[in-house]
Amino acid sequence: MAAEPTTLDILARLIGFATLSRQPNRDLIGYVTGLLDRAGVGWDLVESPDGTRANLLATIGPATGSGVVLSGHTDVVPVEGQAWSTDPFRLHEQDGRYYGRGTADMKGFVAAALAAALYAARRDLKTPLHLAFSYDEEIGCVGVRSLIERLATSPIRPALCIVGEPTGMRIATGHKGKVALRACCTGRAGHSALAPTALNALHLGADFLGRLRARQRDLAETGRRDDQYEIPYTTLHAGRMSGGQALNIVPECCEIEFEIRNVAGDDPQAIIADLKGDAEAIVAPLRPAFPEVAIAIDEINAYPGLETPMDSPVVALLRLITQSREPAFKVAFGTEGGLFQDRLGLATAVCGPGFMTQGHKPDEYVSADQLGRCDAMLAALVDRLAVGL
């Protein structure tokens, strides 16, 4: 009989699948379901509308409405334009580090969760272990929403959720919410030699960016604060501005993509309402001469923040299975954890191998020590589920 694959064996296979966001992940999911089939573990898929990508749900142990779900995403960010020392889609080991796209964010945890599932399949669990692997997380937790809706109508509902994003194996109890938005600025086209007779949409965009920056200064100086975050206040950030066709044409359209990352207690919808008021203040004086002028703000994507109390049962469980005495903290990046908490009411925390400072960059890696600590945590979890939570 072939030896059961280790976390490292599984990770090497997972890295070999170039599962970029918006690209198919079915080959990776096929490999995962093959592992689960050989272990006798049942699974279910929740497909994307076009069928090229899929979320995976699996349960080991009794089919009861309880247990712990291990949540992770299967997609990774692109490598184009990055100077990698090795093939990013082939696992490379050097000096106790495992290099490859997604090793830290977050196929290292997915591999460890699969190894733990294979271990759990050989045990007689009293409390179930669930796996929830999603697609397109990197572009706004897109795929996991249909997975969560499936769980919302399922008789098998976990009680606790561990999201395995890289925290250095520390326990994270929160992250900010996020709203991604687009401001579409409409002016009037014209010949650049007659520019004052037209209305430059780029200028409208620049005026709007000025208001955005003023709102950010106000939030930083007088807004709500949470000192558990590295940036302890709500942030506004413009990431992309585009418009114009040629230098000698006054541009009619300009688009700005921006985001709000809010601490608990700050209502992003109130901030959006203020920004819409700022936009109207910019265009109102121009409307008599240019009736078509507009700055329209539309929401692209959003997910809620995560705010887990320190006395939550998931924090107590993680302290038990990690044997950690380090204080819990809050991460700067977002996760699907807020969606599990908000939609399903699951007690949720974030804990996984590696560090986000290694993610999204060339020569991404996770250390052997971090993977070993994650394996130990998940083995302790399985042992705990064998006697019941």
Side-chain angles (χ1 to χ4, degrees):
M1 180 181 294
E4 197 165 81
T6 65
T7 293
L8 194 56
D9 295 329
I10 297 170
L11 180 59
R13 291 295 304 274
L14 295 180
I15 296 302
F17 298 106
T19 49
L20 304 178
S21 302
R22 299 189 179 93
Q23 299 300 313
N25 75 340
R26 298 305 292 265
D27 288 345
L28 181 149
I29 293 296
Y31 165 70
V32 171
T33 56
L35 284 179
L36 298 177
D37 284 341
R38 288 190 288 278
V41 174
W43 49 267
D44 187 22
L45 299 185
V46 185
E47 296 185 339
S48 64
D50 64 2
T52 64
R53 303 178 302 292
N55 303 301
L56 179 138
L57 284 167
T59 296
I60 304 98
T64 60
S66 64
V68 179
V69 60
L70 305 177
S71 178
H73 61 83
T74 63
D75 61 315
V76 297
V77 298
V79 299
E80 282 76 17
Q82 296 186 343
W84 282 74
S85 302
T86 60
D87 183 347
F89 297 109
R90 184 173 182 179
L91 193 67
H92 174 74
E93 187 274 333
Q94 185 174 338
D95 300 328
R97 295 175 175 178
Y98 298 102
Y99 293 87
R101 175 54 88 220
T103 46
D105 184 18
M106 59 177 295
K107 289 180 176 180
F109 177 79
V110 172
L114 283 166
L118 300 181
Y119 173 52
R122 304 195 306 269
R123 305 292 301 275
D124 180 21
L125 300 189
K126 299 296 188 294
T127 304
L129 176 69
H130 309 276
L131 302 179
F133 298 154
S134 59
Y135 66 88
D136 286 0
E137 185 272 349
E138 295 286 5
I139 55 174
C141 298
V142 173
V144 74
R145 297 167 196 263
S146 58
L147 179 153
I148 288 172
E149 290 308 310
R150 177 69 61 86
L151 281 174
T153 60
S154 171
I156 302 175
R157 176 83 66 85
L160 309 178
C161 177
I162 300 171
V163 178
E165 291 277 9
T167 64
M169 294 305 299
R170 290 180 62 191
I171 302 167
T173 57
H175 62 72
K176 296 176 182 179
K178 177 182 173 180
V179 184
L181 302 119
R182 181 184 295 112
C184 296
C185 306
T186 302
R188 180 182 294 178
H191 195 293
S192 62
L194 303 171
T197 66
L199 182 59
N200 194 314
L202 287 174
H203 294 177
L204 295 174
D207 290 343
F208 180 74
L209 284 178
R211 300 298 183 103
L212 196 73
R213 295 179 67 186
R215 292 286 176 188
Q216 174 64 98
R217 285 193 299 271
D218 183 58
L219 287 166
E221 293 170 3
T222 65
R224 295 177 185 271
R225 300 183 70 85
D226 185 337
D227 290 327
Q228 285 190 279
Y229 288 111
E230 182 178 358
I231 307 297
Y233 49 82
T234 294
T235 59
L236 297 173
H237 158 73
R240 183 174 175 272
M241 182 175 183
S242 61
Q245 295 176 311
L247 181 58
N248 61 353
I249 301 174
V250 176
E252 181 180 16
C253 296
C254 169
E255 288 191 354
I256 299 169
E257 293 183 11
F258 66 102
E259 69 175 23
I260 302 168
R261 291 184 183 257
N262 64 287
V263 298
D266 270 346
D267 179 4
Q269 293 305 316
I271 296 171
I272 293 169
D274 288 340
L275 290 169
K276 287 182 176 179
D278 291 339
E280 178 60 21
I282 293 168
V283 302
L286 301 168
R287 196 168 284 127
F290 303 97
E292 68 272 38
V293 66
I295 300 178
I297 298 174
D298 298 306
E299 185 176 307
I300 302 171
N301 183 272
Y303 56 73
L306 177 67
E307 193 75 18
T308 299
M310 293 301 299
D311 60 355
S312 168
V314 72
V315 176
L317 174 65
L318 280 168
R319 290 210 181 282
L320 178 68
I321 62 178
T322 62
Q323 295 295 296
S324 174
R325 296 293 183 266
E326 291 186 276
F329 73 119
K330 294 179 179 180
V331 291
F333 54 85
T335 78
E336 67 271 24
L339 290 164
F340 276 101
Q341 184 183 71
D342 187 64
R343 179 69 178 91
L344 300 179
L346 301 192
T348 302
V350 186
C351 186
F355 299 88
M356 195 57 84
T357 51
Q358 301 303 327
H360 295 213
K361 64 196 300 184
D363 293 341
E364 178 182 351
Y365 71 85
V366 66
S367 71
D369 173 69
Q370 285 285 305
L371 282 181
R373 289 177 63 186
C374 187
D375 281 336
M377 175 186 80
L378 295 181
L381 172 64
V382 172
D383 292 343
R384 184 68 184 170
L385 296 177
V387 298
L389 286 182

